[in-house]
């Protein structure tokens, strides 16, 4: 058995002490830890030893290090449940998390070709474009752009989507959702979403593309959500029947 050297034992002790303070609530979720120089002085170690301790805490997902900003206590991870047909905000609230939704923009406009193909309508048709930001534990977590084609767009465009879910608004307008087809893939954060999520472009994220269908089989929502991997994790309950998940290779980009 290999014995730990003094330096390794020291950084592990520091990591254990900080972990205990985080779990005890001395540092709240989303709160910044003291600066590295302050911590190294408090523990009487070099910056190198302290950074080893912080690396251990990062590996244990207790902290998130943001270059140029500092070190922050990780929020409790939200679960993105693949087996649930609910709005994202409703799903997270059911897990007991407080999620704030900010509407970044809404307008009725022409459809991009990609979205028109997903909704199986003509590119010349118009739809409601709804852009929202989901904030959890005081930090942006999800950037979401949803498209709702006519005639449903006009029926829901004036709703307060800061408090009402998109599925809820559709239900109030007489549209019941029946199923959704969703693809979740890893990507690099694009510049537009990066500005809203407060992370550098190129940060690893999950991107969800979901098409929601009504009882008559028509597509009623095309939705793209950009999800920070540091804020959410994807979970599913696997059963013999009831949920189908297909894995496929990604084409080179």
């Amino acid at each position: 058995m290999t014995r730990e050297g003094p330096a390794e034992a020291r950084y592990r002790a520091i990591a254990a002490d900080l972990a205990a303070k985080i779990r005890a609530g001395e540092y709240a979720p989303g709160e910044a830890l003291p600066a590295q120089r302050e911590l190294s002085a408090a523990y009487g170690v070099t910056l190198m030893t302290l950074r080893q301790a912080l690396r251990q805490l990062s590996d244990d997902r207790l902290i998130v290090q943001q270059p140029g900003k500092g070190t922050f206590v990780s929020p409790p991870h939200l679960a993105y449940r693949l087996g649930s047909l609910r709005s994202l905000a409703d799903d997270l609230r059911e897990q007991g998390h407080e999620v704030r939704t900010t509407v970044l923009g809404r307008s009725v406009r022409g459809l991009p070709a990609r979205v028109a193909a997903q909704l199986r309508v003509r590119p010349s048709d118009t739809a409601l474009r709804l852009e929202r930001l989901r904030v959890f534990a005081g930090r942006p977590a999800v950037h979401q752009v949803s498209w709702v084609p006519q005639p449903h767009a006009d029926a829901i465009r004036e709703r307060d989507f800061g408090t009402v879910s998109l599925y809820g608004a559709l239900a109030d307008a007489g549209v019941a959702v029946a199923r959704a087809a969703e693809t979740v893939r890893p990507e690099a954060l694009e510049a537009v979403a990066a500005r809203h999520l407060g992370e550098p472009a190129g940060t690893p994220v999950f991107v969800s593309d979901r098409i929601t269908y009504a009882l008559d089989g028509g597509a009623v929502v095309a939705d793209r959500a950009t999800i920070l991997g540091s804020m959410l994790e994807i979970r599913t309950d696997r059963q013999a029947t009831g949920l189908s998940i297909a894995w496929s290779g990604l084409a080179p980009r």
Side-chain angles (χ1 to χ4, degrees):
M1 182 174 62
T2 303
R3 304 182 70 178
E4 288 188 350
E8 185 174 2
R10 187 64 178 138
Y11 89 73
R12 289 187 184 279
I14 294 169
D17 185 63
L18 286 171
K21 290 178 177 178
I22 289 171
R23 293 186 175 111
E26 292 186 37
Y27 297 114
E31 181 181 348
L33 294 183
Q36 290 187 11
R37 291 191 180 279
E38 183 179 339
L39 283 174
S40 64
Y43 284 108
V45 296
T46 65
L47 279 173
M48 181 179 296
T49 298
L50 176 72
R51 286 167 182 162
Q52 287 178 299
L54 295 179
R55 191 177 302 116
Q56 178 67 56
L57 294 175
S58 180
D59 290 343
D60 292 340
R61 303 180 71 182
L62 289 174
I63 63 169
V64 177
Q65 294 181 287
Q66 300 183 32
K69 295 182 180 180
T71 303
F72 299 84
V73 178
S74 297
H77 268 59
L78 305 176
Y80 189 72
R81 293 174 174 169
L82 293 179
S84 168
L85 183 56
R86 282 188 296 265
S87 73
L88 176 61
D90 286 346
D91 194 7
L92 297 179
R93 290 190 186 101
E94 184 169 296
Q95 298 173 46
H97 302 298
E98 182 178 348
V99 180
R100 179 167 55 86
T101 298
T102 300
V103 177
L104 301 175
R106 75 174 85 196
S107 60
V108 174
R109 60 173 73 177
L111 286 156
R114 172 186 64 83
V115 178
Q118 290 174 324
L119 292 171
R120 299 175 186 172
V121 298
R122 296 170 299 180
S124 58
D125 290 349
T126 60
L128 171 66
R129 181 186 185 274
L130 179 63
E131 183 178 10
R132 290 165 292 173
L133 184 68
R134 312 292 194 178
V135 178
F136 165 69
R139 290 189 57 203
V142 181
H143 176 261
Q144 195 167 10
V145 176
S146 305
W147 294 85
V148 181
Q150 299 290 8
H152 312 307
D154 287 339
I156 67 171
R157 64 178 298 182
E158 299 303 326
R159 296 299 302 271
D160 179 7
F161 290 105
T163 57
V164 177
S165 73
L166 182 51
Y167 282 0
L170 286 169
D172 291 343
V175 181
V177 300
R179 66 181 184 89
E182 184 171 13
T183 300
V184 181
R185 62 189 180 277
E187 283 201 1
L189 182 60
E190 296 182 349
V192 173
R195 291 198 294 270
H196 298 297
L197 291 172
E199 295 290 339
T203 297
V205 293
F206 292 112
V207 173
S208 158
D209 278 314
R210 177 192 288 194
I211 310 300
T212 302
Y213 299 90
L215 292 173
D216 63 4
V220 292
V221 181
D223 183 88
R224 173 167 288 184
T226 301
I227 305 166
L228 287 181
S230 61
M231 298 293 288
L232 283 88
E233 58 191 15
I234 297 174
R235 297 181 193 166
T236 183
D237 293 322
R238 294 176 180 260
Q239 302 177 18
T241 60
L243 176 63
S244 174
I245 300 177
W247 299 91
S248 63
L250 296 177
R253 290 179 175 268

